[in-house]
Amino acid sequence: MSHNSFGHLFRITTWGESHGPAIGCVVDGCPPRLALTEADIQPFLDRRRPGQSKFVTQRQEPDRVRILSGVFEGQTTGTPIALLIENTDQRSKDYGEIKDRYRPGHADLTYDLKYGIRDYRGGGRSSARETAMRVAAGAVARKVLEGVTIRGALVQMGPDRIDRAAWDWAAVEENAFWCPDRAAAARWEAMLTEARKSGSSLGAVIEVVAEGVPPGLGAPIYGKLDADIAAGLMGINAVKGVEIGEGFAAAALSGESNADEMRMGPDGRVLFGDNHAGGILGGISTGQPIIARFAVKPTSSILTPRKSVDRFGQEVEVLTKGRHDPCVGIRAVPVGEAMLALVLADHLLRHRAQNPDAPGEARLPRN
Amino acid sequence: MSHNSFGHLFRITTWGESHGPAIGCVVDGCPPRLALTEADIQPFLDRRRPGQSKFVTQRQEPDRVRILSGVFEGQTTGTPIALLIENTDQRSKDYGEIKDRYRPGHADLTYDLKYGIRDYRGGGRSSARETAMRVAAGAVARKVLEGVTIRGALVQMGPDRIDRAAWDWAAVEENAFWCPDRAAAARWEAMLTEARKSGSSLGAVIEVVAEGVPPGLGAPIYGKLDADIAAGLMGINAVKGVEIGEGFAAAALSGESNADEMRMGPDGRVLFGDNHAGGILGGISTGQPIIARFAVKPTSSILTPRKSVDRFGQEVEVLTKGRHDPCVGIRAVPVGEAMLALVLADHLLRHRAQNPDAPGEARLPRN
Amino acid sequence: MSHNSFGHLFRITTWGESHGPAIGCVVDGCPPRLALTEADIQPFLDRRRPGQSKFVTQRQEPDRVRILSGVFEGQTTGTPIALLIENTDQRSKDYGEIKDRYRPGHADLTYDLKYGIRDYRGGGRSSARETAMRVAAGAVARKVLEGVTIRGALVQMGPDRIDRAAWDWAAVEENAFWCPDRAAAARWEAMLTEARKSGSSLGAVIEVVAEGVPPGLGAPIYGKLDADIAAGLMGINAVKGVEIGEGFAAAALSGESNADEMRMGPDGRVLFGDNHAGGILGGISTGQPIIARFAVKPTSSILTPRKSVDRFGQEVEVLTKGRHDPCVGIRAVPVGEAMLALVLADHLLRHRAQNPDAPGEARLPRN
Amino acid sequence: MSHNSFGHLFRITTWGESHGPAIGCVVDGCPPRLALTEADIQPFLDRRRPGQSKFVTQRQEPDRVRILSGVFEGQTTGTPIALLIENTDQRSKDYGEIKDRYRPGHADLTYDLKYGIRDYRGGGRSSARETAMRVAAGAVARKVLEGVTIRGALVQMGPDRIDRAAWDWAAVEENAFWCPDRAAAARWEAMLTEARKSGSSLGAVIEVVAEGVPPGLGAPIYGKLDADIAAGLMGINAVKGVEIGEGFAAAALSGESNADEMRMGPDGRVLFGDNHAGGILGGISTGQPIIARFAVKPTSSILTPRKSVDRFGQEVEVLTKGRHDPCVGIRAVPVGEAMLALVLADHLLRHRAQNPDAPGEARLPRN
């Protein structure tokens, strides 16, 4: 058991605080002989990196990842892959005034109650900076998931939901919000500018999708594929809800509307009439796209003063200057993709262990 | 790693199929010298048991639990506690006609694609019958959680949400739905009768609440308290969504509305103005009530014929006769409570390991 | 983490006390579609069973194993396999007099210091009775290890070591000691009769051998194949030492004597001049026979009175009547085989997870 | 599950190859508020460091450890502690000639058969260089083990065993071999010089002792304290045997000689007449010193030519120039101490989790 590891056979262990000398990750269990260099990882970090637009924190970290072990002459060796990013732009002085104050909506109080000590600089271990290592590890996981495409998009900002009919994956790369609906993206730009100016912040809902996942990944009871995805996404900073496929809306459907009908495809593969299940039935992948959504609360670091207490038991007012994203949900998009990749890579290895011939043979008739 | 275990220090491993000779559970890691007999467990099983009203499956199982180890002269010994329930009312003949057919919305196809074999009788391992062992284990977990109260309620059936202003915990025990809103309970009775008669089914949303949880339980990055709750609840059969506190609605709030303000209580404890956080910040308990909700899809076993395929690759129609709950969400209430209890007991032990003095000292000022 | 589980991907969890109603085991992670019935397990239990000769305890347990889950129509399903043996011959009255006394050499005191409570009847959880479940689980592991032969033998009783030149596997089944040296077996019969009559007991050394193990099983640093074998064998009751291949004697060899030279076999396989390594180099199997030995201390339950203390802090004399083996090492032979099988099955699955093509390709040249 | 982690609650994960840019370790689960700086770790690394005498490899590594996370203002924070040592003296050219040749007694062949790729430079991941991180992590574990003293000594070199009557802990620090018997140390100097000159090497036996360990640490069945020690010590490079207390010699004792008698101490503590058990009964600590020994095979890297094969399937002769220890057992002394510390720290935390009041109350009478 570890409090800082995720996964079982494809397993990551991260370390590091926001304002320490570096953050890092050990990726253990990666199969050998996969081509891997820093260049495979860096683009994913660049997508997540702060400082890219006025809508994300202006902290300027190059976030240059180094591979320190586990790769030899451009190939994974099967031994642990250590990844490291140096912290280069820590303005620790910004945090002096919250040294003894517990910011509302943050982990300041709970860390102190748990450990009796905390590195308060920039949130220390609870900073979203740690998610850079998830994104880096997720890039390695993608190498394991040959033939699987994992993408994410922001489908709601504040109360404003996109129009699914307008969904265009190409649009996602065109705007600062990873928004697949061009009209929504335009609305959000105005909305977020307003929130930022007023010292407020906005929440968001992100959808991540994995296509090309072979059927049969998962486990029947605990460690179900959807349970592991739920843990992975709920474990991202500021996330308060997770759903698979139809999600909470499934509760309002009738049984005959919700259960996806099946028919035979030309090649012996089973086709589904719809995908309310989000690609998972009984904790095991069906072969359809895996669809998950998660809700990110509005940034708790805001310029509006809020009532709180300090570690001396005094009531105080707190407002967070620093440099912060008015909508942390935006940067959660690549993190959500990474967590989905990590879960799938782990389950792919787990499946192989118990089923040496599979996956692959997902055709009917069965022998 | 195990596909059939849940938890780390307080750890359960379940086994058994719906129509095998028995189902069981091993509870490992339970502290010694806790008073425990079958009478502590049976009431929770009775709450979950089928056959109690016309709204749940008419399968008549006494579900009599036996403790086979780990308890000596009425006290836990610290060694593994084996629980066993015999299966006495298996009408396996009911399932012959779905032996080779994959029921839409069920795990039939995915099990077959994963394992190439399945015990089709009553859903085999994927049957909700397995949840009886979670409820039994949850009763043991409650023993560990002295001073913590865990309760659950159905807050939505089909599209009909309760009126939270009308919430009365006493009402929960008065109706067949664990509904805390008496008016809603009356509406649901009519709605569910109609669904059952028409061969349809309904989904539901359940809320589970833990009061008295000490602050400091959880972990900073992975194995966060909320991530583990998410995994636990998403791992219940037919669940498609999980949220903590404000949940998905948090996405639509502003930062200043969502982040709970704090003030000092008279005894050095921190009080919160609200509980949008659902009792968890940064993956660690705040001391406020822990609130989680999960969505259960409508029962997939319905009398209405649905299109599907069989294992020979033929397209077929499937309708599920058998005995089934028109709203499986009802029986998920005690299961959700149990999963919450299991997560909290595990985290209580984990916290003790790393913090020998705690929890308890959750007062300010901190030294 | 679990205190009562062994293995990772092929994982067993045992439960039960010597004088409780039953003992049991959950085997999790077993691949699907392996033929398995009670008849595959029972012969291994019969080999270990007490009451077979005057040299092992006269407790008469039929030790009839039942499979309660995870097998359908004679094949494993990939879901957890629950095994159960009822305890039928518990003479608990025999143990009343040691209820409050700590037997020297036993776990009585340490259990009490750890848990503050213990089921003293027959040693409770620390009884060697638990090893019946390891033997049963080991029989399932053997099913996973197709092509691998695992055997064990007693190579030393008391101070008397066998003559390795006289080793004959056929002899092992001919005597009550699993002794491969017929002359030694004759000597031991006299020696053990003498020990039993005088109220004393004898220790033993057991060797277990696995042939046909594919190369490549194991892990480089922790969870090395030899480290896991060491844990497995040291975890057997009364074991005080474990060695692999040359073992402690390797310390006295020169580097050129100890390191096994290699040459090419006709089929591209690597052949070794000798097997000082015991089939493992760098924590990974070489393809040669895996050879491990473990030392079992003399039975601590003896008729000779010994000085001890009781739980009230009084000094007392203890002698153990009951029914006991004068050399517990004898019955440890099938247990050692089982532990070796469990470790190898686990590592075979682990290897498959990370190396989808392997094992198998253990020929040179390598690409 | 991880192939590169050790421990459960106090858990280390190491990474790095002999000739990569660095090696490192993540220590997870360390309790908060322990004083810790690099200066607590460095002395243990210095003891293990190569280049200190003519009897250990002349590779000159400063082995300067850096703490990159988990410590704030000189105290542990409860978050993961990352340790890093840069590799500064890698003469990779020394290893070119064994790039394609499998050195007898080394992991070269098995890594290649397992992974199909290996970083051959200096043994890559299988190099004893990795043990530097165990020693560093062990220094952190010692911080957790307040009141516990852990020491080690070389008790046999080649076939020459020390005289236990001459054991003097002070002598250990006086010679290059960690030898507690001054006369033996003098003999070994001559013996090792001879072995080195002749291009040969010697094996060794190391004894590690932990004093002040509270009773009650361990677990009843798997994860026994002795089983975990066995895994920890057997997992050290080149180790072929492990024993606890009397070890293999216990097999030759009678039951009455082996089982340690008990009497009452003046303060309610139980005293033992002897310590054949090595401080562990039934997998749980007794409160007596924990004593373990392990055998290290003679260095496989020798100047004497040996027959082997290469990856092209050709038969070749191999002799290892490089810089190597003629007796790797010497440097295994601090590594053995570290592994014992790691196991004990882990079990201390595990014990606390399940027994909130303990350890401490190890006095009689028991309530």
Side-chain angles (χ1 to χ4, degrees):
Chain A
M1 198 195 67
S2 161
H3 297 152
N4 292 281
S5 295
F6 187 79
H8 297 269
L9 292 186
F10 189 92
R11 182 181 182 91
I12 67 166
T13 301
T14 74
W15 55 266
E17 278 80 39
S18 177
H19 286 59
I23 57 173
C25 180
V26 185
V27 180
D28 198 7
C30 185
R33 298 189 311 277
L34 299 177
L36 184 72
T37 70
E38 279 95 346
D40 293 303
I41 303 173
Q42 197 62 48
F44 294 96
L45 285 167
D46 292 344
R47 292 183 71 211
R48 177 206 159 276
R49 188 154 50 95
Q52 296 182 298
S53 81
K54 62 186 169 184
F55 301 118
V56 294
T57 171
Q58 294 304 304
R59 177 169 166 166
Q60 297 287 345
E61 296 275 2
D63 276 359
R64 188 63 47 192
V65 68
R66 289 172 62 205
I67 298 174
L68 296 182
S69 68
V71 175
F72 184 60
E73 299 180 343
Q75 285 194 299
T76 60
T77 61
T79 63
I81 301 168
L83 305 174
L84 186 137
I85 297 175
E86 290 186 36
N87 290 331
T88 54
D89 181 38
Q90 315 104 308
R91 300 193 201 168
S92 295
K93 63 179 167 353
D94 283 355
Y95 296 95
E97 70 181 25
I98 56 154
K99 179 182 169 215
D100 299 314
R101 295 169 175 223
Y102 303 121
R103 291 168 296 168
H106 274 283
D108 300 346
L109 172 70
T110 52
Y111 265 60
D112 220 3
L113 292 180
K114 182 174 189 70
Y115 296 119
I117 183 175
R118 69 191 167 103
D119 179 351
Y120 52 80
R121 301 167 305 166
R125 180 71 179 146
S126 69
S127 164
R129 178 138 185 76
E130 185 269 348
T131 60
M133 297 320 308
R134 307 190 195 194
V135 170
V140 182
R142 287 173 193 259
K143 286 278 180 174
V144 178
L145 296 165
E146 206 191 327
V148 177
T149 303
I150 296 173
R151 295 184 288 188
L154 212 71
V155 297
Q156 180 179 323
M157 183 180 286
D160 187 6
R161 196 89 178 205
I162 63 160
D163 174 6
R164 295 192 80 85
W167 188 300
D168 180 354
W169 277 111
V172 164
E173 304 291 330
E174 294 169 6
N175 59 73
F177 314 110
W178 318 110
C179 178
D181 167 358
R182 290 183 181 83
R187 295 193 304 268
W188 294 356
E189 179 145 359
M191 192 167 65
L192 196 58
T193 300
E194 172 59 28
R196 191 167 54 86
K197 284 186 181 161
S198 66
S200 182
S201 62
L202 294 172
V205 176
I206 290 102
E207 182 166 315
V208 285
V209 180
E211 291 165 290
V213 177
L217 302 195
I221 299 298
Y222 308 107
K224 287 181 170 188
L225 187 55
D226 37 5
D228 281 358
I229 291 171
L233 297 178
M234 190 68 93
I236 298 172
N237 310 48
V239 172
K240 301 304 284 185
V242 178
E243 48 185 22
I244 305 289
E246 199 62 33
F248 275 87
L253 295 180
S254 68
E256 55 274 29
S257 307
N258 183 69
D260 305 313
E261 292 188 311
M262 291 171 263
R263 64 178 196 281
M264 291 306 303
D267 58 348
R269 289 186 190 272
V270 178
L271 301 179
F272 289 77
D274 208 328
N275 190 14
H276 292 99
I280 302 174
L281 281 174
I284 298 172
S285 62
T286 63
Q288 288 199 287
I290 289 177
I291 298 171
R293 275 179 304 283
F294 58 100
V296 178
K297 68 182 185 185
T299 314
S300 296
S301 300
I302 49 176
L303 281 165
T304 310
R306 302 285 291 154
K307 291 180 185 165
S308 187
V309 300
D310 66 16
R311 68 195 307 270
F312 310 111
Q314 301 301 311
E315 299 189 342
V316 295
E317 284 218 324
V318 174
L319 68 105
T320 319
K321 289 184 220 157
R323 298 154 295 175
H324 297 286
D325 296 353
C327 176
V328 285
I330 299 170
R331 286 173 58 201
V333 175
V335 183
E337 293 173 9
M339 295 311 292
L340 184 55
L342 290 169
V343 172
L344 290 172
D346 188 35
H347 273 281
L348 181 65
L349 301 195
R350 289 163 73 171
H351 186 69
R352 277 180 190 163
Q354 210 185 2
N355 296 275
D357 315 323
E361 258 198 84
R363 288 180 174 77
L364 300 181
R366 307 288 290 172
N367 304 322
Chain B
M1 198 197 67
S2 162
H3 297 151
N4 292 281
S5 296
F6 188 79
H8 297 270
L9 292 184
F10 189 91
R11 181 180 182 91
I12 67 165
T13 300
T14 74
W15 55 266
E17 278 80 38
S18 177
H19 286 59
I23 57 174
C25 180
V26 185
V27 180
D28 199 8
C30 185
R33 298 189 310 279
L34 300 177
L36 184 72
T37 69
E38 279 95 347
D40 293 304
I41 302 172
Q42 197 62 49
F44 293 97
L45 284 168
D46 292 345
R47 290 183 73 211
R48 178 207 160 274
R49 186 153 53 93
Q52 296 183 298
S53 82
K54 62 185 167 185
F55 301 117
V56 293
T57 170
Q58 294 304 304
R59 177 168 165 166
Q60 297 289 344
E61 295 273 3
D63 275 0
R64 188 64 47 190
V65 70
R66 291 172 61 204
I67 298 175
L68 296 184
S69 69
V71 174
F72 184 59
E73 298 179 346
Q75 286 195 299
T76 59
T77 60
T79 60
I81 301 168
L83 306 173
L84 186 138
I85 298 175
E86 290 186 33
N87 289 331
T88 54
D89 182 37
Q90 316 104 307
R91 299 195 203 166
S92 295
K93 61 181 164 5
D94 284 355
Y95 296 95
E97 70 180 24
I98 55 156
K99 178 179 171 222
D100 298 315
R101 294 168 175 224
Y102 305 120
R103 292 169 295 167
H106 274 283
D108 299 346
L109 172 71
T110 52
Y111 265 60
D112 220 4
L113 292 181
K114 182 176 188 70
Y115 297 119
I117 182 175
R118 69 190 169 104
D119 179 350
Y120 53 81
R121 301 167 303 164
R125 182 69 181 147
S126 69
S127 166
R129 177 138 187 77
E130 186 269 348
T131 61
M133 296 322 308
R134 307 191 194 194
V135 169
V140 182
R142 286 172 193 259
K143 286 280 178 171
V144 177
L145 296 166
E146 206 191 325
V148 177
T149 302
I150 296 172
R151 294 183 288 190
L154 209 72
V155 298
Q156 180 180 323
M157 183 179 288
D160 187 5
R161 196 89 178 203
I162 63 160
D163 174 7
R164 294 193 79 86
W167 188 299
D168 180 355
W169 277 112
V172 164
E173 304 290 330
E174 295 169 5
N175 59 73
F177 314 110
W178 317 110
C179 177
D181 168 359
R182 289 181 180 87
R187 295 194 302 270
W188 295 357
E189 178 144 0
M191 192 166 67
L192 196 57
T193 300
E194 172 58 28
R196 190 168 53 86
K197 282 186 183 162
S198 66
S200 182
S201 62
L202 294 172
V205 176
I206 290 104
E207 182 165 316
V208 286
V209 180
E211 291 165 288
V213 176
L217 303 195
I221 300 296
Y222 307 107
K224 288 182 169 187
L225 187 54
D226 38 5
D228 281 359
I229 291 172
L233 297 178
M234 191 68 92
I236 299 173
N237 310 45
V239 172
K240 301 305 285 186
V242 178
E243 48 184 23
I244 306 289
E246 198 63 32
F248 276 86
L253 295 180
S254 69
E256 54 274 28
S257 308
N258 182 69
D260 305 312
E261 292 189 311
M262 292 171 263
R263 64 180 196 280
M264 290 307 304
D267 59 347
R269 288 185 189 271
V270 178
L271 301 180
F272 288 79
D274 207 328
N275 190 14
H276 292 98
I280 302 174
L281 282 174
I284 298 173
S285 62
T286 63
Q288 289 201 287
I290 290 176
I291 298 171
R293 273 179 305 284
F294 57 101
V296 178
K297 69 182 184 185
T299 315
S300 297
S301 300
I302 50 177
L303 282 164
T304 310
R306 302 286 289 155
K307 289 180 185 165
S308 187
V309 299
D310 66 16
R311 67 196 308 269
F312 309 110
Q314 300 301 311
E315 300 191 340
V316 294
E317 286 221 323
V318 174
L319 70 105
T320 321
K321 287 182 220 163
R323 297 155 297 175
H324 297 286
D325 295 354
C327 175
V328 285
I330 300 172
R331 286 173 59 198
V333 175
V335 182
E337 295 173 10
M339 295 312 292
L340 184 54
L342 290 169
V343 172
L344 290 171
D346 189 36
H347 273 280
L348 181 65
L349 301 195
R350 288 164 71 171
H351 186 69
R352 276 180 189 161
Q354 208 185 3
N355 297 274
D357 315 324
E361 257 200 84
R363 288 179 174 79
L364 302 179
R366 303 291 292 174
N367 304 322
Chain C
M1 197 196 67
S2 162
H3 297 152
N4 292 282
S5 296
F6 187 80
H8 296 269
L9 291 186
F10 189 91
R11 181 179 182 91
I12 67 165
T13 301
T14 74
W15 55 266
E17 278 81 39
S18 177
H19 286 60
I23 57 175
C25 179
V26 185
V27 180
D28 198 7
C30 185
R33 298 188 309 279
L34 300 177
L36 184 71
T37 69
E38 280 95 348
D40 294 304
I41 303 172
Q42 197 61 48
F44 294 97
L45 285 167
D46 292 344
R47 291 182 73 211
R48 178 206 160 276
R49 188 154 51 96
Q52 297 183 297
S53 81
K54 63 186 167 182
F55 300 118
V56 293
T57 171
Q58 294 303 303
R59 176 168 166 166
Q60 297 288 346
E61 296 273 5
D63 277 0
R64 188 64 48 189
V65 69
R66 289 171 63 203
I67 298 174
L68 296 183
S69 69
V71 175
F72 184 60
E73 299 180 344
Q75 285 194 299
T76 60
T77 60
T79 62
I81 301 168
L83 305 174
L84 186 136
I85 298 175
E86 291 186 34
N87 289 331
T88 53
D89 182 38
Q90 315 104 310
R91 299 193 203 169
S92 295
K93 63 181 165 358
D94 285 354
Y95 295 95
E97 70 180 25
I98 56 154
K99 178 180 170 217
D100 299 313
R101 295 171 174 220
Y102 305 121
R103 293 168 295 169
H106 274 283
D108 300 346
L109 172 70
T110 52
Y111 266 61
D112 221 3
L113 292 179
K114 181 174 190 70
Y115 297 118
I117 183 174
R118 70 189 167 102
D119 179 350
Y120 52 81
R121 300 167 304 166
R125 180 71 179 146
S126 69
S127 165
R129 178 140 185 76
E130 186 269 348
T131 59
M133 296 320 308
R134 308 191 194 193
V135 170
V140 182
R142 286 173 194 258
K143 286 280 180 172
V144 177
L145 296 165
E146 205 191 329
V148 177
T149 303
I150 296 172
R151 293 183 288 189
L154 211 71
V155 297
Q156 181 180 324
M157 184 180 286
D160 187 6
R161 196 91 179 204
I162 63 159
D163 174 8
R164 294 192 80 86
W167 189 300
D168 180 354
W169 278 111
V172 165
E173 305 290 331
E174 294 169 7
N175 59 73
F177 314 109
W178 318 110
C179 178
D181 168 357
R182 288 181 181 85
R187 296 193 303 269
W188 295 355
E189 178 146 1
M191 193 168 65
L192 195 57
T193 300
E194 172 59 28
R196 189 167 54 86
K197 284 187 181 161
S198 67
S200 183
S201 62
L202 294 172
V205 176
I206 291 102
E207 182 166 316
V208 286
V209 180
E211 291 164 289
V213 176
L217 303 196
I221 299 298
Y222 308 106
K224 286 181 171 189
L225 187 55
D226 38 4
D228 281 359
I229 291 171
L233 297 179
M234 191 68 93
I236 298 173
N237 311 47
V239 172
K240 301 304 283 184
V242 178
E243 49 185 20
I244 305 289
E246 199 62 32
F248 275 87
L253 295 180
S254 67
E256 55 274 28
S257 306
N258 182 69
D260 305 311
E261 293 188 310
M262 292 172 263
R263 65 178 196 280
M264 291 307 302
D267 58 348
R269 290 185 188 272
V270 178
L271 301 179
F272 289 78
D274 208 327
N275 190 13
H276 292 99
I280 302 174
L281 282 173
I284 299 173
S285 62
T286 64
Q288 287 200 286
I290 290 176
I291 298 171
R293 273 179 304 284
F294 57 101
V296 179
K297 70 183 184 185
T299 315
S300 296
S301 300
I302 49 177
L303 281 165
T304 311
R306 303 285 290 155
K307 291 181 184 166
S308 187
V309 300
D310 66 16
R311 67 195 310 268
F312 310 110
Q314 301 301 311
E315 299 190 342
V316 296
E317 286 220 324
V318 174
L319 70 104
T320 321
K321 286 185 222 158
R323 299 155 294 176
H324 299 286
D325 295 353
C327 175
V328 285
I330 300 170
R331 286 172 58 197
V333 176
V335 182
E337 293 173 9
M339 295 312 293
L340 185 55
L342 290 169
V343 171
L344 290 171
D346 188 36
H347 273 281
L348 181 65
L349 300 194
R350 290 164 70 171
H351 186 69
R352 278 180 190 163
Q354 209 185 3
N355 297 276
D357 315 323
E361 255 198 87
R363 287 180 176 77
L364 300 180
R366 304 291 290 172
N367 305 321
Chain D
M1 198 196 68
S2 161
H3 297 152
N4 292 283
S5 297
F6 187 79
H8 297 270
L9 292 185
F10 189 92
R11 181 181 183 92
I12 67 166
T13 301
T14 73
W15 55 266
E17 277 81 39
S18 178
H19 286 61
I23 57 173
C25 179
V26 185
V27 180
D28 198 8
C30 185
R33 299 189 309 280
L34 300 177
L36 184 72
T37 69
E38 278 96 345
D40 293 303
I41 301 172
Q42 196 62 48
F44 293 96
L45 284 168
D46 292 345
R47 291 183 72 212
R48 178 206 160 275
R49 187 153 52 94
Q52 295 183 300
S53 83
K54 63 185 168 185
F55 301 117
V56 294
T57 171
Q58 293 305 302
R59 177 169 165 164
Q60 297 287 346
E61 296 274 3
D63 275 358
R64 188 64 48 191
V65 70
R66 291 172 62 205
I67 298 175
L68 296 183
S69 68
V71 174
F72 185 59
E73 299 180 345
Q75 285 195 299
T76 59
T77 60
T79 61
I81 301 168
L83 306 173
L84 186 137
I85 297 174
E86 290 185 36
N87 289 331
T88 55
D89 181 39
Q90 315 104 304
R91 299 193 202 169
S92 295
K93 63 181 168 347
D94 284 355
Y95 296 95
E97 70 181 26
I98 55 155
K99 179 181 169 220
D100 298 313
R101 292 166 178 228
Y102 304 121
R103 292 169 295 169
H106 274 284
D108 300 346
L109 172 70
T110 53
Y111 265 61
D112 221 2
L113 292 181
K114 182 175 189 69
Y115 297 119
I117 183 175
R118 69 192 168 101
D119 178 351
Y120 53 81
R121 300 167 304 165
R125 181 69 180 148
S126 69
S127 165
R129 179 141 184 76
E130 185 269 348
T131 61
M133 296 322 307
R134 308 191 194 195
V135 170
V140 182
R142 285 172 193 260
K143 286 279 178 172
V144 178
L145 295 166
E146 206 190 328
V148 177
T149 303
I150 295 172
R151 294 183 289 190
L154 211 72
V155 297
Q156 180 180 323
M157 182 179 287
D160 187 5
R161 196 91 178 203
I162 63 160
D163 174 6
R164 295 193 79 86
W167 189 299
D168 180 355
W169 277 113
V172 165
E173 305 290 330
E174 295 168 5
N175 59 72
F177 314 110
W178 318 110
C179 177
D181 167 359
R182 289 180 181 87
R187 294 194 303 267
W188 295 356
E189 178 144 0
M191 193 167 66
L192 196 57
T193 301
E194 172 58 29
R196 191 167 54 85
K197 284 186 180 161
S198 66
S200 183
S201 62
L202 294 172
V205 175
I206 291 103
E207 182 166 316
V208 286
V209 180
E211 290 165 289
V213 177
L217 303 196
I221 299 298
Y222 308 108
K224 288 182 170 188
L225 186 55
D226 38 4
D228 281 0
I229 291 170
L233 297 178
M234 190 69 92
I236 299 172
N237 311 45
V239 172
K240 301 305 284 185
V242 178
E243 48 184 22
I244 306 288
E246 199 62 33
F248 275 87
L253 295 180
S254 68
E256 54 275 26
S257 307
N258 182 69
D260 305 312
E261 292 189 311
M262 292 172 261
R263 65 178 195 280
M264 291 306 304
D267 59 348
R269 289 186 189 272
V270 178
L271 302 179
F272 289 78
D274 208 327
N275 189 13
H276 292 98
I280 303 174
L281 282 174
I284 298 172
S285 62
T286 64
Q288 288 200 286
I290 289 176
I291 298 171
R293 274 179 306 283
F294 58 100
V296 178
K297 69 183 184 185
T299 314
S300 296
S301 300
I302 50 177
L303 282 164
T304 310
R306 301 285 290 155
K307 290 180 184 166
S308 187
V309 299
D310 65 16
R311 67 195 309 269
F312 310 110
Q314 300 301 311
E315 300 192 341
V316 295
E317 285 221 324
V318 174
L319 68 106
T320 321
K321 289 183 218 159
R323 298 155 296 176
H324 298 284
D325 296 353
C327 176
V328 286
I330 300 171
R331 285 173 59 199
V333 175
V335 182
E337 293 173 11
M339 295 312 293
L340 185 54
L342 291 169
V343 172
L344 290 171
D346 188 36
H347 273 281
L348 182 65
L349 301 194
R350 288 164 71 171
H351 186 68
R352 277 181 189 162
Q354 209 186 4
N355 296 273
D357 316 323
E361 256 198 86
R363 286 177 177 79
L364 301 180
R366 305 289 293 172
N367 303 323

